[in-house]
Amino acid sequence: MAWWCMAFNTFAFLLFFALVAGVNFLLPARLRWGWLLAASLVFYGWAGPVYLIQILLAAFLSYAAALRMEAETDKARKKHILTLIVLALVGNLFAFKYVGFVNETLRSLAGLAHADYPFGVVDILAPLGISFYSFQLISYVVDVYRGAPAERHAGLFALYTTLFPKVISGPIERGKNLLPQLHAIPGFDHVRVAAGLQLVAWGAFKKIVVADRIAPLVDRVYDSPQAHEGIAMVAATFLYAFQLYCDFSGYTDMALGAGAILGFRLMRNFNRPYFATSIPDFWRRWHISLTSWLTDYVYTPLTRIKIGIKWYRMMLLSLFLTFVLSGIWHGAAWTFVLWGALHGGYVVAATQLQKPYNKFARRIGLIRRPDFHRRLKIVTTFTLVCIAYVIFRARTLPDAIYIYTHLHTGWGTAVSSLRDSFPFDQLVYSFAGIAVVLLVEIVEGDPARAARVVALPIWRWGLRFGMISAIFTLGAFYGTGQQFIYFRF
Amino acid sequence: MDKVVLSAEIIPPKGGAFALAVKVALLGFCAALVPLGVTLAIPEKDDGAYSTRIKHKQLARPEPGKIILVGGSNLSFGIDSGRITERTGCIVANMGLNGYFGINYQLGEVLPHLRAGDKVVLILEYDAYLNPANGDPTTLIGVLKANPAAIRYMNLSQMGQVASRVPLVAQEKLSRLIKEGAASLFGGAEDDPYDIIYRFVSYRGYDSHGDVVAHLGTEWPLDLKQGLPMDKMPMRPEVVDAIEAFSREAREKNVAFAISFTPVERKYYTKYQPYIHAIYKELDQKRKLPVVSTPGDYVFDKSMMFDTVYHLDAQGRRIRTEKLIGDLERGLGNGLDCRSTGAVTKGKISS
């Protein structure tokens, strides 16, 4: 993966975006798509112009296949074209992202069997955002196959694929949402641009002030878990939950904000996921564009496969397999596969245990205290998510096992164990940042209260000022953790 | 985009692109002042940077033929300026304070004050030949806070580096407050043991010439702090370029210029002798600069060092001062003596 791309949290991007947005507003409407396409190609090519060939080739093949499918009247031939293009896109993704992983797995198996393995180490540099744009293109061709109109304008389709706010880490856009917007790119609008700027600033706050501040603390424990007590591992996992969320949702907010400034409404990707009351609810709130993609293009087709299994069981199996695939999508490592499988297990268990749990909750009186019950479910869900994060974040499977088996240690000497593992000032910054994010999300959860708060100019401007001055004053501009985590997916 | 976190869509803003740009610029400007405010409001760990005022007061004295010592802390710890005045009759401004100011600042702060007949003696720690010529922005922020007028001694690039470092300094200061708060709440000390140096380099530890005197007659309780690993860091040509340029400007101003060497602890010197000699060769033979001694002349036993391999204790300071006077007498000849010009009398009267 090319780590030296023009990330949103760099000064280079700030200058680039100001130039792109400024010129975009000055240009006549009919020229805007061309300008944005040129800007998107520069942005993507920044990491290495060679990557442009691949993304443009994938876009061209999808564009041509969609037109061909639309023109085709024979259903079987249409399906044949779809199969070919999906195989090409998946093959491209597999070749760059998973060949090394499969090779290493086979090598390990050969080693266990004391057999010779003929291939050496395969280290392929995956193009930026390959997982995101591949899924976006697959959804487009499948939608066209299912009857959606194909895009005829090659330039607009190239822009749909490469649009710079979302090309590297999503959201995984759908043709029906984005393509119509590309046909009528609006000019400057004060309300929209101001809203976009605020969203960019909020995303920058989450990334630079919260996620990047937490990153070195988590690295410290997860890079060498053997050197820390269990209580530090618990704290590091809790912090990682917010590092990952603030990193990815911070990126998404910046992407959505940048899109809004330019005139696009990109798909929403997060909806206060740590306030979810169950694991299925969590997945309706976390990385929404991926979850809905997996639902539409993996889970639903899987449930329709007829292999002699009863529908309910097939549904559970499909759920489980979809989550395993989600894990594989996140990374080419067994830790990600297991993380996906664990979430699959959670969701299957939640579905199976729903009725007995409801009965149990009624019996012990939880139903009569809905607020307490909801909070209990939020805490339980968050704890389960954190348990799964251990596998997600651990460098290796043995590290994850070590962490799981040592979580109970160090609780008797909590303060000194934590002080040994973390610099106190960094813990204070981190928890303060998390508190701010949670507070904003609590207010967000009550739109009437949110409207009351921002109706007062002093609050409105105070919040804006506080957010930007916090970025300047407390932003982790130095040290580790500056790259977006989801860039590697 | 379903939801925007803050208010823009709920409360429609007024005005066009220009109005928005002005609002954003104003907001950004005000927000950028916050880290500056934090940096200015929270005091440094020590007030040693304020000694720059003593040094500039001395530098601004009107007597002709001043001896101006330029360099880092090897000078403040290891020179008895009063003794030099006694021997030569010249006013001494010991500008040595902190090697991390960088050569550009160290030379830049004396250049505007030079007058014909002055004598500048440059003595850098060996670290200074390996560090950036523009110095460390955090250290420069400290000196700017003590003496805001020092901004005029900085080049544009240094000003940019200093401005971009302000948030980090603000964060470091906030972190220090939090750590101190934690230490008072939970007990224990988060401080670096080396922090006891601040007892000696405080503003009150300097005499009127700009020499540190607080350490004289005291024992340093810790091991010697080492210099940079010279085998791992190359000499920076930009540092010698700056010295060469200064030498030319001094000549144009009719100012005598001499280069000598820092005192250094014997073990460190032995370890890095080839690299130290390369610096000497570069200055003396390649650039033909006015070098008046050799590095080997200023090698001291550990027993004469104070806290670092460059800082002398009272005994070392005495020996080094006499040695330097001898070197300057040989290098500058009669030019070193101010008594014939009457500067002595004036100097002594005014001090």
Side-chain angles (χ1 to χ4, degrees):
Chain A
M1 186 65 66
W3 297 111
W4 26 275
C5 65
M6 192 169 13
F8 291 176
N9 57 339
T10 58
F11 191 63
F13 178 77
L14 202 67
L15 290 179
F16 168 82
F17 186 73
L19 176 74
V20 171
V23 173
N24 187 54
F25 295 144
L26 294 173
L27 283 174
R30 66 193 155 79
L31 297 179
R32 284 185 197 131
W33 74 266
W35 169 246
L36 290 179
L37 176 60
S40 297
L41 295 179
V42 168
F43 176 84
Y44 194 80
W46 197 265
V50 69
Y51 297 123
L52 281 173
I53 300 168
Q54 193 174 27
I55 192 171
L56 288 177
L57 189 65
F60 174 74
L61 289 176
S62 307
Y63 168 78
L67 285 178
R68 190 82 183 84
M69 275 193 291
E70 194 180 50
E72 189 57 65
T73 49
D74 183 73
K75 260 195 162 183
R77 291 189 66 174
K78 208 168 166 177
K79 197 169 188 175
H80 187 65
I81 297 167
L82 176 70
T83 309
L84 279 178
I85 185 66
V86 170
L87 279 178
L89 291 168
V90 172
N92 178 47
L93 179 60
F94 181 83
F96 280 91
K97 200 167 163 183
Y98 299 104
V99 163
F101 168 59
V102 172
N103 185 50
E104 280 312 299
T105 304
L106 292 176
R107 180 202 299 280
S108 302
L109 288 175
L112 285 174
H114 304 291
D116 286 338
Y117 188 70
F119 304 110
V121 175
V122 180
D123 193 11
I124 301 171
L125 199 65
L128 277 169
I130 188 169
S131 307
F132 291 92
Y133 76 70
S134 297
F135 271 32
Q136 183 180 311
L137 291 174
I138 289 170
S139 72
Y140 170 73
V141 291
V142 172
D143 286 351
V144 171
Y145 172 78
R146 288 172 179 172
E151 175 56 56
R152 299 188 173 280
H153 193 305
L156 287 184
F157 189 77
L159 180 58
Y160 165 72
T161 311
T162 60
L163 187 65
F164 70 87
K166 57 90 195 158
V167 69
I168 293 176
S169 288
I172 303 167
E173 278 296 331
R174 305 293 182 84
K176 65 182 175 194
N177 176 47
L178 188 55
L179 278 168
Q181 297 185 56
L182 299 180
H183 281 272
I185 301 169
F188 179 83
D189 174 82
H190 195 138
V191 175
R192 197 195 67 234
V193 173
L197 284 171
Q198 284 178 176
L199 205 48
V200 169
W202 177 236
F205 174 88
K206 285 201 272 189
K207 166 66 180 160
I208 300 167
V209 179
V210 187
D212 287 352
R213 181 65 63 190
I214 294 173
L217 305 182
V218 174
D219 292 349
R220 188 183 278 244
V221 174
Y222 271 86
D223 285 353
S224 55
Q226 294 77 6
H228 299 272
E229 297 283 6
I231 187 170
M233 297 174 201
V234 170
T237 307
F238 173 85
L239 289 170
Y240 181 65
F242 284 94
Q243 183 202 345
L244 185 66
Y245 172 56
C246 290
D247 190 284
F248 191 21
S249 73
Y251 167 87
T252 305
D253 285 345
M254 283 191 259
L256 265 61
I261 292 168
L262 296 173
F264 307 111
R265 279 186 177 262
L266 298 179
M267 203 176 162
R268 193 180 189 192
N269 231 3
F270 292 93
N271 178 19
R272 309 187 310 130
Y274 293 151
F275 290 91
T277 53
S278 67
I279 294 292
D281 186 30
F282 172 79
W283 281 104
R284 283 190 289 273
R285 295 160 173 264
W286 176 276
H287 203 174
I288 298 165
S289 65
L290 175 68
T291 310
S292 67
W293 192 98
L294 290 169
T295 306
D296 291 352
Y297 303 102
V298 178
Y299 168 72
T300 307
L302 275 178
T303 57
R304 288 177 188 154
I305 294 174
K306 307 272 188 256
I307 50 169
I309 302 177
K310 282 184 180 172
W311 181 84
Y312 185 73
R313 284 187 184 167
M314 190 62 203
M315 186 268 287
L316 293 180
L317 182 66
S318 304
L319 265 178
F320 183 77
L321 290 177
T322 304
F323 276 99
V324 172
L325 183 71
S326 166
I328 295 170
W329 178 89
H330 278 85
W334 282 106
T335 47
F336 291 113
V337 178
L338 284 177
W339 171 78
L342 183 54
H343 268 281
Y346 282 161
V347 174
V348 168
T351 313
Q352 289 284 73
L353 296 174
Q354 189 64 48
K355 276 184 187 169
Y357 174 78
N358 286 347
K359 210 180 278 179
F360 171 74
R362 235 189 323 272
R363 188 178 299 163
I364 65 167
L366 279 175
I367 301 293
R368 287 194 300 276
R369 302 175 67 188
D371 277 349
F372 174 73
H373 191 196
R374 192 175 57 83
R375 283 175 197 147
L376 185 69
K377 287 202 281 190
I378 289 173
V379 172
T380 309
T381 305
F382 180 71
T383 307
L384 290 172
V385 168
C386 284
I387 289 170
Y389 278 146
V390 172
I391 315 179
F392 190 85
R393 175 60 183 82
R395 283 182 315 165
T396 61
L397 213 48
D399 270 6
I401 293 166
Y402 181 89
I403 292 170
Y404 281 131
T405 52
H406 288 80
L407 287 174
H408 62 282
T409 62
W411 291 84
T413 52
V415 173
S416 65
S417 296
L418 288 173
R419 286 186 78 173
D420 288 347
S421 295
F422 306 110
F424 186 78
D425 56 318
Q426 299 304 314
L427 268 189
V428 170
Y429 287 137
S430 300
F431 280 100
I434 289 169
V436 169
V437 170
L438 288 178
L439 202 65
V440 168
E441 297 206 339
I442 288 168
V443 175
E444 251 194 320
D446 182 351
R449 189 194 295 177
R452 276 201 307 277
V453 168
V454 296
L456 294 168
I458 191 156
W459 267 106
R460 201 161 65 240
W461 284 98
L463 284 171
R464 289 169 180 159
F465 177 75
M467 190 166 62
I468 298 171
S469 56
I471 292 171
F472 281 129
T473 312
L474 300 172
F477 297 106
Y478 312 90
T480 61
Q482 292 188 22
Q483 193 51 270
F484 286 97
I485 294 172
Y486 263 66
F487 276 19
R488 72 186 70 147
F489 304 144
Chain B
M1 188 177 56
D2 295 343
K3 199 186 290 180
V4 170
V5 174
L6 293 176
S7 61
E9 288 186 334
I10 302 166
I11 311 293
K14 293 165 191 157
F18 181 72
L20 183 64
V22 169
K23 281 181 200 168
V24 169
L26 267 176
L27 194 64
F29 177 75
C30 294
L33 291 179
V34 173
L36 185 64
V38 171
T39 303
L40 295 176
I42 301 177
E44 267 64 30
K45 260 186 175 177
D46 73 299
D47 59 0
Y50 286 85
S51 66
T52 190
R53 294 182 184 175
I54 302 173
K55 292 166 187 287
H56 273 274
K57 199 171 160 192
Q58 194 74 352
L59 184 64
R61 285 181 63 161
E63 292 87 341
K66 284 191 299 285
I67 296 175
I68 301 160
L69 303 174
V70 177
S73 53
N74 81 82
L75 288 171
S76 49
F77 274 83
I79 287 288
D80 182 351
S81 300
R83 174 69 182 147
I84 298 176
T85 301
E86 238 175 68
R87 287 275 305 269
T88 63
C90 303
I91 298 298
V92 176
N94 184 350
M95 303 303 291
L97 178 54
N98 190 328
Y100 286 93
F101 287 164
I103 188 72
N104 286 341
Y105 178 84
Q106 288 168 334
L107 295 175
E109 73 170 332
V110 297
L111 195 62
H113 302 281
L114 295 181
R115 286 180 222 150
D118 284 346
K119 297 162 279 270
V120 174
V121 183
L122 178 72
I123 307 177
L124 300 176
E125 295 78 22
Y126 296 118
D127 292 14
Y129 293 96
L130 318 179
N131 280 329
N134 271 347
D136 167 47
T138 302
T139 314
L140 289 173
I141 287 173
V143 82
L144 270 182
K145 205 174 148 183
N147 179 19
I151 189 86
R152 65 195 160 122
Y153 307 131
M154 293 179 192
N155 58 42
L156 273 178
S157 154
Q158 277 173 310
M159 288 178 200
Q161 288 167 0
V162 163
S164 65
R165 186 62 69 90
V166 167
L168 180 66
V169 174
Q171 284 174 25
E172 284 171 350
K173 289 185 168 190
L174 286 171
S175 291
R176 204 182 76 223
L177 286 190
I178 293 170
K179 282 179 189 166
E180 285 169 4
S184 62
L185 272 176
F186 305 115
E190 293 265 1
D191 286 348
D192 181 348
Y194 186 74
D195 283 358
I196 52 169
I197 192 63
Y198 298 127
R199 290 183 210 158
F200 304 103
V201 294
S202 148
Y203 175 72
R204 286 177 296 279
Y206 286 80
D207 71 5
S208 60
H209 295 101
D211 302 345
V212 172
V213 290
H215 71 303
L216 301 177
T218 63
E219 287 287 320
W220 178 250
L222 305 172
D223 285 341
L224 284 189
K225 198 172 183 180
Q226 296 299 302
L228 293 176
M230 298 188 76
D231 52 342
K232 294 191 175 74
M233 296 172 74
M235 180 171 46
R236 288 178 182 259
E238 72 200 66
V239 175
V240 190
D241 291 346
I243 297 171
E244 207 172 14
F246 180 84
S247 174
R248 278 194 300 273
E249 291 188 70
R251 206 177 307 126
E252 281 166 21
K253 290 190 169 200
N254 205 16
V255 168
F257 179 53
I259 298 172
S260 184
F261 290 95
T262 175
V264 64
E265 191 259 336
R266 189 173 305 282
K267 205 170 157 192
Y268 182 82
Y269 174 78
T270 310
K271 189 173 178 187
Y272 296 115
Q273 195 172 1
Y275 304 96
I276 292 172
H277 189 71
I279 292 171
Y280 170 66
K281 210 171 146 189
E282 177 74 24
L283 295 168
D284 188 54
Q285 292 165 27
K286 285 194 186 161
R287 307 283 185 121
K288 308 280 183 214
L289 289 163
V291 178
V292 295
S293 58
T294 68
D297 296 340
Y298 290 92
V299 178
F300 288 80
D301 285 337
K302 192 178 174 186
S303 61
M304 281 187 257
M305 307 309 296
F306 189 63
D307 63 317
T308 79
V309 291
Y310 297 127
H311 293 173
L312 291 167
D313 70 1
Q315 189 194 356
R317 177 178 182 256
R318 204 162 40 244
I319 296 169
R320 190 260 187 117
T321 303
E322 296 301 332
K323 208 181 255 289
L324 181 66
I325 294 168
D327 286 342
L328 293 179
E329 278 171 348
R330 277 190 297 281
L332 300 175
N334 289 339
L336 188 66
D337 198 338
C338 294
R339 278 169 288 221
S340 55
T341 62
V344 147
T345 324
K346 285 179 188 170
K348 285 201 167 167
I349 288 167
S350 60
S351 62

